[in-house]
Amino acid sequence: MTDITPREDVYANPAEYYTTGNNAGKNVNRVRKNSVVRNRVLVNPPTPAPLLRTLTAMVKFNTMQRLIFIFCFLRLHSLPSAPVCVAPQPQSKRIGVAKLEQVPGQTLVQRKRRGSLGKWITMAVGSGVVSVTNWRTRSKRNCHEVHQRRGDNGQRSRRLASCYKDNNADSWEEVPFWDMRQGVLIETDEKNKARRFLIDVEETQRIILAQEDTDGDFQITINDLGPKTLTLPTADSGGYLKYDIRGTYMLSNLLQELALASDYGRKHIVLDEARLNENPVDRLSRMIRHQFWNGLTRRIDANGLEIICADPKNRTADHNPRIYIPHGEQEIYDYYRNVAETRRHLRLEVEMLPEDISPAYVRSINDRPGILALDMRRTVDKDGRPTLEGVPFVVPGGRFNEMYGWDSYFETLGLLVDGRVDLALGMIDNFCYEIKHYGKILNANRSYYLTRSQPPFLTDMTLKVYKHLNPQNEQANKLWLAKAFRAAIKEYHTVWACSPRLDPITGLSRFRPSGLGIPPETEVSHFDHIIEPYACAHGVSIPEFVRMFNADEVAEPELDEYFLHDRAVRESGHDTTYRYERRCANLATVDLNALLYKYEIDIAETIRDVFDGALEDHVGRVNGVEEWLERAERRRKAIDTYLWNEEKALYFDYDTITKEQSTYESVTAFWMLWAGCASQGQAEKLVSLHKFEVLGGLVSGTEQSRGIISLDRPNRQWDFPFGWAPHQIMAWHGLDRYNYIDVARRLAYRWLFTITKSFVDFNGVVPEKFDVVTLTHKVQVEYGNVGVDFKFVPREGFGWMNASYQVGLSYITLHMRRALGTCTSPDLFFAKTMAKVVAAAASDAVAVPHDRQRRLSAAAAIAITQNGNAPAATTTIGVNSGIGGSTGVPPLVRDEESSDESISGAALVPEFVSLDSTSTTPKEGIARYVGRNGEHEE
Ligand SMILES: OC[C@H]1O[C@H](O[C@H]2O[C@H](CO)[C@@H](O)[C@H](O)[C@H]2O)[C@H](O)[C@@H](O)[C@@H]1O
């Protein structure tokens, strides 16, 4: 695994970073102090100690190395050795900020002595390009000479120096010189030093939006048609000098930083250039770790209610905050009643659920939707009085503002990478609470989800968190583990391995929840095409028919059957896909049975390894290891019998009613690897199948399985060409488990590239899903995309997408991570591998099956055309389409063994070199930092 050292994060404590005109003088001083120290280190001549060390080291050099060393040494020390000029002003006198004026052909420079170090700052202006430097001043006969620090380009310094006019000591305030290198960026040590910009937050925000956000979506993306350049005043010059920042990525980062600064009430900031051209991999990973998880964290208690009660999916007229409390949970009920009474402005309604939560009851409260209470812990309030607080959890984001079943598992994996064990543990506690009080892990904790669950991951999730608990609390940890496993055993027996989900013939399980009526949480027109014929037949409008159907005023068995399957689809988490349409509740699916096999093995192994062979379950029965191993073995055999297809070398769903295997090829076949259910032989066959691998990662299903798309048969979001985070993560883990780490890494790289590229090009977006074939998050599909509607700066990403990024980074090598930082297209990155595949295909083309041939020829096309017009499934994007061309991936092919040079913003943003830019300066003259005492600071 790659060693990923997390960067220290300034957002962890924004006050340390942002500086304002009013209250951040202290911070400015701190930053400035650091930079002075840094400058001093840079400009001082080498001290004897390193020199001595180098000379000692030279003993080990060979002749060539010695020659190179001597050559470099002579070059560095070949500057004229004129006596150092004594500063004309007294050492302690403060002169004030430097000023700058430009007249044709000549630049006037005013200098200011810095501190008591005897150094001077000199500003030079090229043609339209401003640069600032620290110079050491020297006097040589009648002329002042300016030397760059040792180690920099002495020749350039001398060229500049020779143009430097003589002045007598008293006229040092203004030193004219001619810049002979019009249009050339003056090379100084500043080039390598990160600039800091002095920014008026509100004004810069106004200008950047007016100039760059041409489509008016409050984001700067590659779709905006602005000049893509903005001139910012530098902090070190007190705002007098300006520097252009360019390209979508830097500008959008600026917009984001401004928004964050504004959140913290800052009027002016000193912003490091490094923030604007930060390696996007570091930036995104940092944002996820330090911002997004927090942005997605919720608690259900007095303080968290307002946020969690908001439900964008609520289409009823009633938007009052409402909380449902499980039957008999009197203490919690009283707590919320008290909240409702003491915080009347909330207008909170508190309702206790009946003991029997029947489908009819759930349907009856569809017009009064509410949040479902979760676990609470005892604590004390600020006055030391005992109270309750909600156990925290993470929501997926966007309109999904509640705790979901399988989302929580993937979020947990990401949280653990980021060291947020508290949150991961909280979600398991909440799941135990749901199983205890609602009878299952809920699809999510809203009233309309009460009858259905989601794919079960509790045992693996618990074991992963358990490994992260403090080993010093062994006893408490074991108790916690026992509680969670007891809940899992209950869930296994009462939800998944019994009627109606268990198919008694095959012994396999199905997604088959109860429920009545039409799911109310879907988009308004979601079912119109289904309902319309019935509405017509009854001679009523669609809304009227919906009302009649939900009120049992009409009997339509066919429609009941349709919604039985629809609910099953939603329980499967794969809503929606042609794989499941009109049959899901009948299918013994690959997904569910892989997960249940894992439950059985996990329970057996945990009883054996942690609980000395016996664990009392929810009804007080002692469970042993053998019974669970037997269950697992029975399931494995059934999976091999009904789901495995030797000829096609893939797992398929099995229809328990028609007694036929489905033909839909789903990427969830890899879940059998994740669960450890496949034999080594089956694994080999799965891995050699490239059906699902496309440019941006793994696609949900094959194009052929999805079938033809038309106006009457629209795309479904869990079909080709869409790719989802859970599918990627499950495959990586499964492949890793079967020692296919290289394949896992390759897939991880593809997926991470997809996320990084969108992040760079689209103002930091982290969406719910992607079209992994054309690499876009702008998808034309049911529900659109979630996580894309934000202004200025993303604040939460999307739960499982965040997780997949952090988990994915833990798979790839350092070299891959660097390539990712330059947004190197997977096809370019893996060009060598591809070439081998193509060569292999050429030698056995006749024997290669159709599918494989299709993929290999696509690979060949990509290898040959390098981002040309390849077939849909594997296309890299063309020159003008945003990916892989001039507006996308930098046209640089990195060799796998290439250098580890760090990544600059320029490398990421090809427009940097090609744009014909028009610069705009934020409010000329005012962008100057005014220090604590009202004095001007550099
Ligand atoms: O509102 C429509 C549907 O939304 C959910 O499904 C999608 O989002 C979930 C949260 O990220 C995710 O778990 C699921 O896999 C997605 O398809 C919800 O789960 C559905 O029940 C709901 O009908």
Side-chain angles (χ1 to χ4, degrees):
M1 293 294 139
T2 317
D3 171 29
I4 303 159
T5 315
R7 279 176 49 131
E8 197 186 319
D9 184 76
V10 294
Y11 288 121
N13 184 0
E16 279 184 19
Y17 176 59
Y18 291 118
T19 59
T20 74
N22 298 327
N23 58 11
K26 199 163 131 232
N27 297 322
V28 171
N29 283 343
R30 183 182 62 77
V31 173
R32 293 188 63 232
K33 205 159 48 185
N34 289 345
S35 64
V36 169
V37 170
R38 191 174 60 211
N39 287 343
R40 186 158 55 193
V41 172
L42 284 174
V43 298
N44 278 355
T47 57
L51 197 60
L52 210 64
R53 272 202 299 277
T54 314
L55 288 174
T56 320
M58 269 185 75
V59 176
K60 296 180 197 153
F61 287 0
N62 61 29
T63 315
M64 184 54 84
Q65 286 169 325
R66 280 183 195 151
L67 283 173
I68 291 171
F69 179 83
I70 290 165
F71 173 77
C72 294
F73 186 83
L74 289 178
R75 257 190 80 81
L76 293 180
H77 290 77
S78 62
L79 303 173
S81 55
V84 174
C85 174
V86 177
Q89 285 83 21
Q91 291 282 322
S92 59
K93 191 179 163 208
R94 188 179 178 86
I95 295 167
V97 290
K99 282 204 217 158
L100 184 81
E101 240 179 89
Q102 200 171 10
V103 293
Q106 118 175 9
T107 305
L108 296 182
V109 181
Q110 279 197 340
R111 303 161 306 144
K112 171 179 114 44
R113 195 167 57 74
R114 304 189 68 194
S116 58
L117 296 173
K119 294 187 187 98
W120 295 76
I121 196 160
T122 302
M123 287 140 212
V125 179
S127 172
V129 184
V130 179
S131 183
V132 186
T133 187
N134 273 329
W135 304 92
R136 292 179 75 81
T137 57
R138 293 180 178 219
S139 162
K140 193 179 178 188
R141 296 190 197 94
N142 265 346
C143 126
H144 295 293
E145 202 167 80
V146 181
H147 284 171
Q148 206 166 341
R149 69 176 169 85
R150 286 167 196 271
D152 277 349
N153 188 332
Q155 210 177 350
R156 282 175 186 259
S157 292
R158 283 198 303 281
R159 272 175 47 189
L160 184 62
S162 64
C163 309
Y164 218 65
K165 284 286 180 194
D166 183 19
N167 287 274
N168 65 47
D170 293 330
S171 68
W172 274 70
E173 289 297 298
E174 284 193 359
V175 183
F177 73 91
W178 285 267
D179 182 2
M180 308 291 279
R181 295 163 296 133
Q182 293 291 305
V184 178
L185 180 72
I186 296 173
E187 193 152 329
T188 73
D189 56 347
E190 282 290 322
K191 184 185 165 201
N192 298 322
K193 193 183 110 187
R195 286 174 196 83
R196 291 176 309 136
F197 297 111
L198 198 51
I199 296 174
D200 177 325
V201 174
E202 207 177 301
E203 182 60 7
T204 313
Q205 206 168 32
R206 189 189 65 74
I207 289 169
I208 194 173
L209 286 174
Q211 177 188 300
E212 300 290 346
D213 179 24
T214 58
D215 61 7
D217 63 355
F218 300 95
Q219 299 176 8
I220 310 295
T221 72
I222 55 167
N223 292 343
D224 285 310
L225 304 172
K228 296 279 160 90
T229 182
L230 191 77
T231 306
L232 293 178
T234 66
D236 287 346
S237 72
Y240 275 98
L241 298 176
K242 312 282 193 295
Y243 185 81
D244 286 351
I245 62 153
R246 300 176 189 222
T248 302
Y249 182 59
M250 285 182 90
L251 287 164
S252 81
N253 284 349
L254 174 61
L255 186 70
Q256 294 171 40
E257 299 295 337
L258 293 174
L260 293 171
S262 183
D263 283 356
Y264 288 100
R266 306 299 197 239
K267 298 264 179 277
H268 297 87
I269 56 170
V270 173
L271 178 61
D272 244 315
E273 186 183 16
R275 271 287 157 148
L276 302 181
N277 60 17
E278 185 177 5
N279 180 319
V281 180
D282 294 342
R283 183 177 176 87
L284 175 52
S285 186
R286 179 175 60 73
M287 290 173 86
I288 292 170
R289 180 179 300 117
H290 294 286
Q291 288 175 267
F292 291 179
W293 291 133
N294 291 339
L296 293 172
T297 300
R298 305 282 183 274
R299 277 176 199 275
I300 310 185
D301 56 21
N303 296 326
L305 265 173
E306 214 160 354
I307 297 179
I308 197 69
C309 281
D311 180 11
K313 296 184 295 316
N314 179 358
R315 291 196 274 116
T316 71
D318 183 351
H319 283 256
N320 245 19
R322 184 176 297 104
I323 185 161
Y324 287 97
I325 316 293
H327 183 79
E329 282 284 272
Q330 197 58 46
E331 190 182 1
I332 292 192
Y333 180 80
D334 292 343
Y335 170 87
Y336 286 110
R337 292 290 318 158
N338 184 45
V339 171
E341 269 155 37
T342 52
R343 304 188 184 204
R344 287 184 176 274
H345 66 279
L346 289 177
R347 300 192 342 272
L348 178 68
E349 290 177 28
V350 187
E351 286 195 33
M352 195 176 266
L353 289 167
E355 191 168 6
D356 173 26
I357 306 172
S358 68
Y361 170 77
V362 176
R363 185 180 57 178
S364 76
I365 58 172
N366 277 348
D367 56 352
R368 290 180 291 129
I371 193 79
L372 302 175
L374 290 180
D375 201 6
M376 301 194 86
R377 290 173 186 153
R378 287 179 208 291
T379 182
V380 285
D381 66 15
K382 59 180 182 350
D383 303 319
R385 283 185 303 246
T387 185
L388 297 173
E389 73 175 7
V391 172
F393 56 90
V394 164
V395 300
R399 70 175 194 275
F400 301 122
N401 185 31
E402 47 272 316
M403 186 181 75
Y404 280 76
W406 73 321
D407 297 63
S408 299
Y409 170 71
F410 297 101
E411 287 152 6
T412 291
L413 301 181
L415 289 167
L416 292 178
V417 173
D418 286 338
R420 299 300 302 272
V421 185
D422 57 326
L423 276 175
L425 189 135
M427 294 206 279
I428 291 172
D429 284 345
N430 281 320
F431 279 168
C432 293
Y433 186 91
E434 285 188 347
I435 291 170
K436 182 170 175 191
H437 294 288
Y438 304 116
K440 60 183 84 67
I441 291 178
L442 296 168
N443 183 150
N445 61 320
R446 290 272 172 208
S447 51
Y448 43 77
Y449 288 140
L450 266 164
T451 65
R452 60 179 192 256
S453 187
Q454 264 197 331
F457 283 89
L458 183 56
T459 56
D460 191 68
M461 185 171 167
T462 304
L463 288 172
K464 293 236 155 56
V465 173
Y466 180 67
K467 285 187 192 124
H468 281 77
L469 298 181
N470 182 350
Q472 284 178 341
N473 305 330
E474 199 191 338
Q475 267 320 99
N477 298 350
K478 271 193 180 181
L479 282 176
W480 178 82
L481 187 71
K483 175 185 91 166
F485 267 71
R486 229 170 258 133
I489 292 173
K490 177 181 173 192
E491 184 206 11
Y492 176 90
H493 286 304
T494 60
V495 178
W496 302 111
C498 61
S499 176
R501 291 179 177 86
L502 176 71
D503 170 47
I505 313 246
T506 59
L508 296 172
S509 295
R510 308 165 290 196
F511 294 110
R512 202 179 170 93
S514 59
L516 287 171
I518 301 172
E521 78 283 359
T522 54
E523 272 185 340
V524 69
S525 59
H526 189 78
F527 294 112
D528 282 3
H529 65 294
I530 299 294
I531 292 170
E532 198 178 9
Y534 296 92
C536 281
H538 286 267
V540 295
S541 68
I542 291 177
E544 177 55 12
F545 180 81
V546 168
R547 193 201 59 74
M548 289 161 64
F549 182 71
N550 282 337
D552 281 341
E553 288 174 16
V554 284
E556 290 290 353
E558 263 184 25
L559 212 47
D560 289 337
E561 172 85 2
Y562 174 87
F563 283 111
L564 163 74
H565 294 303
D566 180 80
R567 279 189 298 275
V569 171
R570 292 171 201 286
E571 181 166 86
S572 79
H574 290 69
D575 48 292
T576 62
T577 160
Y578 289 116
R579 171 188 178 192
Y580 286 160
E581 199 155 290
R582 294 176 188 271
R583 57 179 168 168
C584 185
N586 296 343
L587 295 178
T589 66
V590 174
D591 319 11
L592 180 56
N593 289 286
L595 298 180
L596 292 178
Y597 175 81
K598 185 74 165 48
Y599 259 51
E600 289 151 353
I601 292 289
D602 284 346
I603 294 170
E605 290 182 351
T606 306
I607 293 177
R608 184 190 64 204
D609 300 342
V610 186
F611 299 116
D612 300 328
L615 177 67
E616 203 173 281
D617 66 17
H618 57 294
V619 289
R621 200 181 70 81
V622 176
N623 284 236
V625 179
E626 280 311 312
E627 58 178 298
W628 284 100
L629 286 180
E630 279 163 21
R631 285 189 184 104
E633 188 49 20
R634 270 203 302 277
R635 189 177 303 275
R636 197 189 58 72
K637 282 189 178 143
I639 287 172
D640 280 351
T641 307
Y642 297 102
L643 310 187
W644 175 249
N645 186 317
E646 180 67 24
E647 195 192 327
K648 294 183 182 161
L650 195 66
Y651 292 97
F652 291 89
D653 303 324
Y654 178 78
D655 192 317
T656 56
I657 304 299
T658 64
K659 316 270 183 236
E660 279 173 355
Q661 228 179 34
S662 158
T663 55
Y664 188 104
E665 296 163 327
S666 163
V667 76
T668 56
F670 286 98
W671 293 23
M672 290 295 178
L673 302 188
W674 173 87
C677 186
S679 66
Q680 201 58 45
Q682 286 168 322
E684 259 167 48
K685 287 177 179 148
L686 282 174
V687 172
S688 64
L689 271 170
H690 297 288
K691 286 174 188 286
F692 306 103
E693 185 176 350
V694 294
L695 180 62
L698 288 171
V699 73
S700 301
T702 59
E703 190 173 8
Q704 197 185 9
S705 294
R706 179 203 61 184
I708 295 191
I709 294 305
S710 64
L711 269 183
D712 297 336
R713 197 169 181 276
N715 261 326
R716 299 284 189 233
Q717 61 173 354
W718 285 92
D719 285 330
F720 181 96
F722 303 109
W724 292 78
H727 287 170
Q728 319 297 319
I729 298 176
M730 292 292 276
W732 305 336
H733 281 209
L735 290 162
D736 190 15
R737 182 175 181 152
Y738 283 75
N739 296 321
Y740 293 106
I741 184 64
D742 285 349
V743 185
R745 282 197 177 126
R746 187 180 74 224
L747 295 173
Y749 186 87
R750 289 187 180 285
W751 180 249
L752 295 173
F753 171 77
T754 306
I755 301 177
T756 310
K757 194 72 186 70
S758 266
F759 177 78
V760 166
D761 287 345
F762 291 92
N763 205 110
V765 74
V766 179
E768 175 199 32
K769 58 182 171 269
F770 280 105
D771 173 335
V772 277
V773 173
T774 58
L775 297 204
T776 180
H777 64 282
K778 292 180 180 287
V779 294
Q780 298 299 319
V781 72
E782 67 209 302
Y783 309 129
N785 214 338
V786 188
V788 298
D789 295 328
F790 58 86
K791 285 185 178 168
F792 311 121
V793 61
R795 291 164 198 283
E796 51 186 30
F798 192 83
W800 60 29
M801 200 60 97
N802 301 341
S804 72
Y805 203 72
Q806 306 299 63
V807 173
L809 287 179
S810 74
Y811 271 94
I812 61 171
T813 63
L814 189 58
H815 174 62
M816 287 168 137
R817 185 175 168 124
R818 286 175 182 141
L820 198 60
T822 59
C823 288
T824 306
S825 161
D827 284 347
L828 297 181
F829 189 71
F830 297 118
K832 280 185 189 167
T833 324
M834 291 281 200
K836 280 184 201 154
V837 174
V838 173
S843 62
D844 68 357
V846 189
V848 183
H850 176 74
D851 262 348
R852 194 162 143 73
Q853 269 184 27
R854 179 175 163 274
R855 184 180 151 67
L856 291 174
S857 62
I862 288 163
I864 294 161
T865 62
Q866 300 247 328
N867 303 329
N869 296 322
T874 40
T875 306
T876 47
I877 309 305
V879 173
N880 297 317
S881 53
I883 301 283
S886 65
T887 55
V889 179
L892 119 129
V893 183
R894 278 179 181 262
D895 184 272
E896 286 216 31
E897 270 71 54
S898 70
S899 76
D900 62 356
E901 75 211 36
S902 63
I903 310 311
S904 79
L908 295 164
V909 192
E911 306 96 300
F912 189 88
V913 285
S914 61
L915 270 174
D916 182 12
S917 55
T918 343
S919 304
T920 305
T921 307
K923 223 181 199 174
E924 206 60 50
I926 63 122
R928 176 186 304 162
Y929 173 71
V930 181
R932 235 181 333 176
N933 307 318
E935 70 201 41
H936 296 302
E937 304 240 15
E938 279 179 27

